[in-house]
Amino acid sequence: MPDDREQRYDPATIEPKWQARWAADPSLYAVEPPSCGKPKYYVLEMLPYPSGQLHMGHVRNYSIGDALARHMWMRGYNVMHPMGWDAFGLPAENAALKNHVPPREWTLSNIAGMKRQFNRLGMAFDWATEVTTCLPDYYRWNQWFFLRMYERGLAYRKKSKVNWCPECATVLANEQVIDGRCWRHEDTIVEQRDLVQWFLRITAYAQELLEGLDKLDGWPEKVRTMQRNWIGRSEGTEVDFFLAEGHDKTEKRIRVFTTRVDTIFGATSVQLAPQHALVADFTAVNPALKAQVDELLDQQKKAREAGDLGAIEKHGVPTGHFAINPYNGARVPIWIANYILADYGTGAIMSVPAHDERDFEFAVKYGLPIQQVITPEDKSMSVVLPFFSEDGLLCNSGEYDGLSCTQAQKALQEVAARGAFGEAKVTYRLKDWGVSRQRYWGTPIPMLYCETDGLVPVPDDQLPVLLPEQIEITQQGGSPLARDAAFVNAICPKCGGPAKRETDTMDTFVDSSWYFYRYTDAKNSTAPFDSAVANYWFPIDQYIGGVEHAILHLIYSRFWTKVMRDLGLIANDEPVRRLFTQGMVIKDGAKMSKSKGNVVSPDDMIARYGADAARAYSLFAAPPDRDLDWQEDGVAGVSRFLARVWRLTTKYAPVARTGRGIPIEGPTGAALKLLRKLHQTIAKITLDFEARWHFNTDVAAIMEFVNELQAADAQLASGEIPAPVVSALLRNLVLLLAPFAPHLVAELWEELGETGSILRAPWPQSDPELAREDELEIPVQINGKLVTVVGVSVDADAKTIEAAALADEKIQARIAGKTVVKIIVVPRKLVNLVVK
Ligand SMILES: [Zn+2]
Ligand SMILES: [Zn+2]
């Protein structure tokens, strides 16, 4: 008599039961010491911002990593799968403004809530190594790193134009400005302000960051391309034009950067950015020019704010001054143009209209001369200006005529170096990382300003510089910390006199730049982490997160790793061996997000269908690298499938238990057929974990296998399928589902008479002999129309297949009395008869 248990799959009972058991066993998800002798595997999903609620986008991200971690445990690896909180940042301050809850309280209570959600989803995280970046035991090491960088000249202060988000009321890094808008406020135009700021010298590693990308072959190509473009290396030459006053050149120089010094004889003007230092000299004595320059500045500002600097309508004004080409003494007019950027290259260019599209457009507009200096090697080719090829020869270039472009570049660079008016130069688009934020909820920058000693770093033994807890937060008037006298006023460690603290805090991307090292040794109170432990775990074997971090977190953390290596803390050059960027979760045509109001809460899904169904659905509904279109029907469908697994397994568990551990001998018939399907499914899923990550088709393959089991219900019920085979079928079904539906499998594992955690059970191995199909079904067509299928051996050759097709009764009936003109055989696939 079937009891209730066999009939009803009840995740609401099973799931909390197992969560409680797992929570009671801290060793379950804990790492083992390196001496365990197992190979290590570090799998990591990007840590969440504790906004208060997980949504299904999170569930998808973490379900991918969790499935992989579980699989690797079963493969016998020493797995590290930690979790933490990217807990500093503006939303906590905004919430404080709105609800009058202190940011710390708000953040910690959100963390508690999200941790509950993670546990309710059954995620296999080792909470013993939890990292919370807003707590002093973590951020003191941000300060420590900052001081080490300061000592090495990698952290410095300068006044510069910075990106200012009026909505955030703080400075943003270049990486946080997307199309001229704030990365957090897509409707807010970023302004430019002059401020004294702290910078980290990421440009010191520009070349290494670029070259390292070639070795990151476990990263998506699109991410590598984005980083290459962001670093933006260009090789060229810096050359000084001399300022001409009257007929003589002065010693004043205008340094220009060009990638095409071979075209310098074609330069017909020099163009300055409106902010160029020389422009101020010119306008100081020329109010009319000043007014024109102000207009150019205004146009540039508007274009920058519109995020479309590249498409700016080009305007320029002549200064009335001239510059002298150092190679041929030619006098060319100096212009000021709105499309020349002060922060790119030297803020000045030579304009060569014959060989540059932008220069050509400008010259035509303002009637500047156009002088061709490169000609195609093939003399018969007609030339239309502008002509940009680098496969040409120089002409109209004096002694350099006839040289190839590359030869000329080299020769001209040498001449410039000898004459001390220029040099070969590599420039990068990458700028130093501005890390000062005029906000409260971040790591205090550990610096003091003393009246006597100037800038003084906080000594290591005074770390952490604690973030005061009671503080009034407003969005006006600079850093909130500046209004806290108890924080600001300090004692100078050098002279004992009064000093004032730096009141800017660090960009939150500092926190995430090295958090994954802290996981390896999260409780260390004397160092950020133990080097030996980090060296065992790094690099991360698999990192999983959103592509939106390609030029933010993923470039900052590479930089931080290189700095830590140079500090002697770690041995690896790169933090992450393999990177996976998952697709978004879409609902009603838009990315699932709080601001769009289309968030599906995992709590609701768990209440209705269970955590296993929600997790398995998020893997099943789309390939992990593609966007997933959220359909609640789909979750219901997966839930029904899990219920089928439940019924089937509990029904035959008693038989399986009697066959447990008994070797299978010479299976035949239905038993053989089911075992074949099983081993094919094992092979497919194993391969997917190793390479393809098509988890959506894995869940589908398990569904197919379950369909076959159900179709064999009569043979299972009658005992035709021997107990050892039943045991193998059900045991492996449960093992295969283990990465995807952890609660269900834990319960069924026990049901099958197994003891111990399924996470420590070896992953099933596919037997290639059993997996091999011995017969294939080949469709046979007549004149392109399917008539029948014939069974042939898998390794049948074309002749055998043809014979089998012609011997088929249906085919014989159709071709009787007709002429077979042609027989096309595609081995293993198809036979087509052309009949008249
Ligand atoms: Zn903003
Ligand atoms: Zn002092």
Side-chain angles (χ1 to χ4, degrees), residues 410-480:
K410 215 166 168 260
L412 287 159
Q413 281 172 350
E414 280 166 13
V415 169
R418 270 205 304 278
F421 59 82
E423 61 196 326
K425 183 91 182 178
V426 174
T427 64
Y428 297 91
R429 183 172 175 269
L430 183 71
K431 298 276 176 279
D432 281 337
W433 174 12
V435 292
S436 286
R437 294 293 177 272
Q438 293 69 45
R439 301 306 319 157
Y440 161 67
W441 193 233
T443 303
I445 293 175
M447 283 289 172
L448 295 161
Y449 301 93
C450 166
E451 282 164 30
T452 320
D453 301 300
L455 197 56
V456 180
V458 172
D460 281 5
D461 60 12
Q462 291 178 22
L463 297 183
V465 176
L466 282 173
L467 191 63
E469 287 191 20
Q470 295 305 326
I471 196 132
E472 190 209 346
I473 292 167
T474 69
Q475 282 202 308
Q476 274 85 42
S479 174

Side-chain angles (χ1 to χ4, degrees), residues 194-215:
D194 278 313
L195 279 178
V196 179
Q197 296 286 290
W198 285 98
F199 288 87
L200 299 184
R201 207 179 294 280
I202 190 171
T203 55
Y205 291 88
Q207 186 59 26
E208 206 199 327
L209 286 167
L210 182 68
E211 283 170 4
L213 292 170
D214 295 338
K215 287 174 248 160

Side-chain angles (χ1 to χ4, degrees), residues 90 165-168 172 182-185 188:
L90 265 184
C165 173
E167 205 52 44
C168 295
L172 303 176
C182 173
W183 68 295
R184 293 188 161 285
H185 301 102
T188 305

Side-chain angles (χ1 to χ4, degrees), residues 600-677:
V600 174
S601 157
D603 296 342
D604 284 354
M605 291 301 110
I606 290 169
R608 250 174 270 179
Y609 307 106
D612 283 344
R615 294 172 54 139
Y617 168 75
S618 77
L619 294 173
F620 168 62
D625 56 338
R626 305 281 179 76
D627 289 348
L628 180 158
D629 189 26
W630 179 263
Q631 301 288 346
E632 195 175 324
D633 290 357
V635 192
V638 169
S639 160
R640 284 193 299 273
F641 160 67
L642 295 178
R644 276 177 23 224
V645 172
W646 170 264
R647 283 194 301 271
L648 184 81
T649 310
T650 49
K651 182 171 175 188
Y652 293 109
V655 183
R657 282 198 296 269
T658 64
R660 188 167 166 263
I662 301 171
I664 297 168
E665 280 171 43
T668 53
L672 178 61
K673 194 159 166 266
L674 288 170
L675 285 168
R676 174 171 302 132
K677 185 72 187 174

Side-chain angles (χ1 to χ4, degrees), residues 721-736:
I721 296 172
V725 175
V726 176
S727 169
L729 293 170
L730 295 184
R731 195 174 183 277
N732 285 304
L733 166 64
V734 169
L735 288 168
L736 288 175

